[in-house]
Each structure stands twice: as structure tokens, then as C-alpha cells.
Amino acid sequence: MPAFDLSAVLLYVLGVLIIVVGIALSIGLHELGHLIPAKRFGVRVSQYMIGFGPTIFSRQRGETQYGFKAIPLGGYIAMAGMYPPKHVGEKARDASTGFMQTLVQDAPPPTILAGGMVEQAPNAVNHFGVIVDEPQRSFYNLPIWKRIVIMMGGPTVNLLIGIVLYAVVLCGFGAPQVSTTVGSVSQCVISASETRTECASGDPLAPAAEAGVRPGDRIVSMNGTTITSWDQATALIRKSPGDTISLVVERAGTNVALTVTPLLTERYVVDSKSGEVQKNPDGTSKTQDVGFLGIGAATEVVQQPITAVLPAVGDNIVRVAGIIVNLPQRLVAVANAAFGSGVRDPNGPVSVVGVGRLAGEIASINTVPVADRASALIGLVASLNIALFVFNLIPLLPLDGGHVAGALWEGLRRRLAKLFKRPDPGPVDIGKLLPLTLTVVVILGGMSLLLVYADIVNPITIQ
């Protein structure tokens, strides 16, 4: 039975706490991205809350109540008149931003319809404490562009957080990349088509080991050509089977001249973009005969230029969008892993529980330098913010993208009416999409529960 490691447990808990705080701050700043433009444009905001469930602390500042709720995994602001009146002469209906508040609405009567939408009673104050007799301060009465600015404020803040944190990781800590240093030296030559990994007595000695190449040697030049990347060295080796190569390596600060002759051997054909082994038409792995020395590259952490930040963020956005587009298929795989013998995809979707477990594992790996662990945790929070940005752009209620889509549709209707000299059609009542909203809420809630369960019984791990 392994010994109990208290320090590892404490580090695990610390990692979880760091990610919880990171999520809470990200959500709080997201809602601040809604709050600031809403107040700037004169909308009456009655509540700014971090979390959902019972209120554990709040303070009234002016017309807005600021506070924290028991579960810090959501947030919302409550704005007056987020939905227009159903009929002319009626009062506007109010709601809140924030997906989790849509799922768990702790409001007393008047009657809750769904998603924070409220059927107003004939009084002057609604369940959020918003005075409803000020239509000029209602969200739905704002110009289209102001409503879009308010609803895009939250996702934009998440994008900016992601960019800043990526800059910290890439430019401050650095990113691992393949170097020109030899990380490993094979002792023998084994064909790629063979399943064994250990050398047998009849296997030929690997050319690099025979020539005296050692792990830690940095390749300086080959045949007089200066080597600046591992790919450059690999390309020269692969095309030179049977040819003698003059190799210069730096070892302990001194250049050492060696002579190596790559052997002709069978290697898998790997896709340069995906890194996956290419397949033949019959489904078998594709191989080719190339020159082989038997050396592997070492990785090193290198600080990146600021120009590397936006491409990295863009790649993350594309990956998250790909997960969302293929979500039904990926959730089937998650269900198979949760309830059957399937294996979790390490690049698949995870819940906040899974993210917390990953953070705990990262923090508790004592064999990894503290700086690398800190970089990984910051990168995890950065990725979460990018995920929040992309997820909230989905043009479905109750997400921010749904409100933006409603505003754009209203603007298009009014512009067409003006173009064809028709009466102003008035505001679009996106509240009519209530059945769709309820469907989205139920689906997203179900997916969240499935991911939480999978992250408990069959989690994604890094060890």
C-alpha cells in the first residue's frame, strides 16, 4: 500500500482551489463586461451577483445590489426591460444575463416563466427590485448597437482575459518546443512494423549509438551545414541511407566531431499537421523506407515572441468551435466511457469537475518544476475563458449570442420596413422563443450532468 503523501494532497487541493477562484473571477469579470456598458447606457441594473443559489453576502450600492451566492460557478446581472411587452400598453418583462441563473432562478412570485423571464404583476417593482415604470431605462428600448455592446461585453472580457493569460504563459513562462538537443539514443534498429519495443540479440546496433552520440548532445552541423532545427536534421538523415554524414555536436561546451551512417529502415509515414500515422486504402498503417540514426529530440521551454499569442488564441478558438460542432458525437463517446468500457478522449469536453481534477493533478506532480505547473494552471484558466467566449457566441437563448441574434434580427426588420416605407414593426419579442429556450436549457443541463458523472467515474487524467 503506497504511503500517504500529505504534501501531494495539499497541492491537489490547492490546484482545485486555484481553478475555482479562476472560474469565479472569470465569471465575475464576464458579468462586469455586461454591467459597465449597461450602466453607461442608462439601463437600470438591480443586481450583480457572482454564483447562484442562496445569497451568502450582498451589499446595496445605489440602485444595484452586489453580492455572492453559495455556488461560485455562475453569475448574472438583472436588467430592467430585457424583454419587450407582450402587447402594447403592457409593462416590459425583465430578466438576467448568465446561463446558470437561467437554470437556477431563486426568485419569489410574480410567476417565473423560464430563463429569468417574468410575467409582471401590476405593481411598480419587480422580483429583482427593479422599478418598472421607467421604460426609458429598459434594455429593450436601447438602440440595437447598444444592446449588442452590452451582450457582447461579457464574451469580449473572456476573450481579453484569455489573450492576457496566453501572453503570460507564452511570453513569460515559455512554451515547450523541439530543440536540436538529443534527448534519447536507441541502442538497436527495430522495424516500425514490429510490435516489440526491446532490442533482441540479432538486432543491428543503431548508427547513432555505434558512432558515440549521447543524450544531451546538441547537434551543431551535418556535412558542414549548420543545423537550426530538428526537422532540418531529420530531413537530412531520412534522405541519406548508406551515406556517411560528418556530424558535429556540442557536448559539455565543446564541439565533438563524429561520423555516422544512417541505415535504411522502415518507418511510419506521419501527417505533418495532425501528427497521426497515415493509413493505406486497406486500413493498415503506411510505412516507407528511410534513413535512420536512432536519435530522438529533447524538448525545451522557450519564451515566445508577443506575435505568437494571437495565433495560439486563434488555434484554441478553432479547437473549442470544433468540439461544439461535433458535440453530439463526442457526447456519445463520453456516455460510452461513463456507462460502458469506452475510453475518454483526452481532447474531448470536460465539466468543471473534470477541470478541477486536472488542476489538482497538475499542482500535485512533484517531479515537474513549480514554474511549469504554474504555467499549466494559468494556461488552463486561459483555455476556460476562450471556451466561455466561444460558447456564449452560440446564437441560442439563453446565451449571450441568442440576445445578439435577436437584436440583429430586429435591426434587419426595421431597416427593411424603412426601405420599403412600411410602418416600424417595433421591437422583436425574443421571449416568444421560450419553448426553444427551455429545450436548450434542458439539453445543456443534461449534457452538464453527463460530463460531471463521466468526470467522476471515468475522468480524463494527465498521469
Side-chain angles (χ1 to χ4, degrees):
M1 183 176 179
F4 178 75
D5 189 345
L6 179 60
S7 64
V9 173
L10 292 177
L11 286 172
Y12 188 98
V13 173
L14 177 62
V16 174
L17 290 176
I18 288 173
I19 210 68
V20 169
V21 171
I23 292 174
L25 286 174
S26 299
I27 293 172
L29 292 171
H30 173 102
E31 297 304 330
L32 202 61
H34 294 308
L35 177 72
I36 291 175
K39 282 185 169 290
R40 177 74 66 176
F41 296 148
V43 178
R44 182 178 285 275
V45 180
S46 63
Q47 286 187 334
Y48 169 90
M49 291 289 174
I50 306 301
F52 63 98
T55 301
I56 58 176
F57 169 81
S58 67
R59 177 168 294 180
Q60 190 76 24
R61 291 291 180 89
E63 63 186 19
T64 306
Q65 179 190 21
Y66 300 86
F68 295 90
K69 291 183 175 288
I71 306 175
L73 298 178
Y76 69 95
I77 67 169
M79 291 187 289
M82 202 162 179
Y83 299 96
K86 278 187 175 181
H87 306 288
V88 177
E90 293 184 357
K91 298 186 189 309
R93 292 161 292 161
D94 304 297
S96 63
T97 64
F99 171 63
M100 293 310 300
Q101 182 64 8
T102 300
L103 292 179
V104 184
Q105 184 69 275
D106 60 337
T111 306
I112 305 295
L113 296 180
M117 191 184 304
V118 178
E119 187 72 32
Q120 289 296 337
N123 56 355
V125 180
N126 72 4
H127 73 297
F128 286 120
V130 177
I131 299 174
V132 296
D133 290 333
E134 294 182 303
Q136 73 280 7
R137 299 195 63 188
S138 294
F139 174 82
Y140 83 94
N141 268 328
L142 291 176
I144 300 296
W145 71 270
K146 289 187 176 181
R147 277 183 268 168
I148 292 175
V149 168
I150 291 174
M151 298 314 300
M152 284 299 297
T156 301
V157 167
N158 290 127
L159 175 61
L160 293 175
I161 293 172
I163 292 173
V164 170
L165 294 182
Y166 260 106
V168 170
V169 170
L170 295 177
C171 303
F173 290 95
Q177 64 182 40
V178 175
S179 67
T180 56
T181 299
V182 177
S184 61
V185 178
S186 301
Q187 295 303 307
C188 64
V189 180
I190 301 176
S191 173
S193 60
E194 296 192 44
T195 57
R196 61 188 176 89
T197 58
E198 296 183 357
C199 296
S201 58
D203 292 332
L205 191 65
E210 186 176 16
V213 179
R214 302 175 186 175
D217 288 349
R218 184 179 68 85
I219 299 176
V220 177
S221 66
M222 286 183 168
N223 288 340
T225 301
T226 300
I227 299 299
T228 59
S229 71
W230 188 263
D231 288 341
Q232 180 189 5
T234 300
L236 196 152
I237 293 167
R238 292 170 71 89
K239 70 179 183 181
S240 305
D243 298 335
T244 299
I245 296 176
S246 298
L247 175 67
V248 177
V249 298
E250 181 185 330
R251 179 181 301 164
T254 303
N255 285 352
V256 178
L258 303 171
T259 301
V260 294
T261 303
L263 286 178
L264 182 65
T265 188
E266 185 181 45
R267 294 289 132 199
Y268 288 119
V269 179
V270 179
D271 186 271
S272 59
K273 293 183 178 180
S274 66
E276 297 180 353
V277 176
Q278 296 182 11
K279 299 293 183 180
N280 292 310
D282 61 358
T284 58
S285 297
K286 184 181 293 186
T287 62
Q288 62 180 350
D289 292 333
V290 295
F292 172 79
L293 280 187
I295 55 176
T299 58
E300 57 186 5
V301 177
V302 178
Q303 289 183 330
Q304 304 296 305
I306 194 67
T307 53
V309 174
L310 291 183
V313 171
D315 289 342
N316 197 343
I317 290 174
V318 171
R319 287 197 302 272
V320 173
I323 290 176
I324 292 174
V325 169
N326 299 306
L327 197 55
Q329 176 183 347
R330 289 176 177 268
L331 286 176
V332 170
V334 171
N336 289 334
F339 301 104
S341 58
V343 178
R344 291 291 299 274
D345 179 1
N347 297 315
V350 295
S351 69
V352 291
V353 172
V355 172
R357 294 187 69 149
L358 288 172
E361 286 190 30
I362 291 170
S364 60
I365 303 176
N366 290 317
T367 56
V368 175
V370 173
D372 291 347
R373 284 180 276 172
S375 175
L377 289 173
I378 294 172
L380 196 57
V381 177
S383 296
L384 280 171
N385 275 276
I386 298 301
L388 285 171
F389 166 72
V390 177
F391 184 72
N392 274 285
L393 293 184
I394 298 174
L396 293 172
L397 293 175
L399 303 172
D400 296 334
H403 292 282
V404 171
L408 291 174
W409 173 241
E410 179 180 322
L412 178 61
R413 284 207 322 165
R414 286 182 158 171
R415 185 168 292 276
L416 290 175
K418 185 177 181 180
L419 179 65
F420 292 103
K421 302 185 184 307
R422 295 174 181 170
D424 187 343
V428 169
D429 183 10
I430 58 175
K432 291 181 179 179
L433 297 176
L434 176 59
L436 177 61
T437 300
L438 287 173
T439 302
V440 172
V441 168
V442 170
I443 292 174
L444 292 178
M447 290 190 303
S448 299
L449 291 175
L450 171 61
L451 288 173
V452 168
Y453 179 76
D455 287 333
I456 292 173
V457 300
N458 190 359
I460 295 174
T461 63
I462 60 174
Q463 298 187 40

